[in-house]
Amino acid sequence: MDSDAVPQADIATVPPTFDGSVVLLDVREDDEWQRGHAPGALHIPMGQIPARLGEIDPAATLYVVCQVGGRSQRVSQYLAQNGYTPVNVSGGMLAWAGSGRPVVTDDGGVGVI
């Protein structure tokens, strides 16, 4: 199997809500996160992933998302090499918002992608 082959999830197959057993890891930058993100997502910018691996539960079902899917693919490959079983969200947060799913800001307002 190709070591770079990380499972891809169409937005329709990604759960709409997240708890301890299912994690949506948003690897976008702080400014992107502040404009809007999925409710309940875990935010760790791509560049901070290596230093913050301990915050990601290896037993959780892990979905990785960015704006369109490129950065999350690279992070997913890195996580896979480090013992995680990530799923990359195809289309990223653009697909999330485009499918009508909620986008919020840190203060609970309506966010934008």
Side-chain angles (χ1 to χ4, degrees):
M1 183 177 155
D2 182 352
S3 62
D4 289 338
V6 170
Q8 305 292 310
D10 182 85
I11 197 66
T13 66
V14 177
T17 57
F18 306 96
D19 55 30
S21 65
V22 181
V23 173
L24 180 68
L25 175 62
D26 188 326
V27 300
R28 296 176 303 151
E29 296 305 311
D30 288 334
D31 62 318
E32 294 172 289
W33 170 267
Q34 286 159 5
R35 281 195 297 273
H37 52 266
L42 170 64
H43 180 229
I44 304 178
M46 183 168 125
Q48 298 178 22
I49 293 291
R52 296 175 63 185
L53 273 180
E55 297 175 39
I56 306 167
D57 182 355
T61 301
L62 181 61
Y63 293 91
V64 186
V65 71
C66 64
Q67 192 74 2
V68 293
R71 284 172 289 176
S72 56
Q73 174 69 21
R74 293 197 295 277
V75 170
S76 293
Q77 290 168 350
Y78 176 82
L79 290 169
Q81 292 162 0
N82 284 275
Y84 293 83
T85 51
V87 177
N88 188 45
V89 177
S90 298
M93 285 303 296
L94 288 176
W96 176 279
S99 69
R101 294 189 178 201
V103 176
V104 297
T105 57
D106 284 338
D107 62 8
V110 175
V112 295
I113 298 302

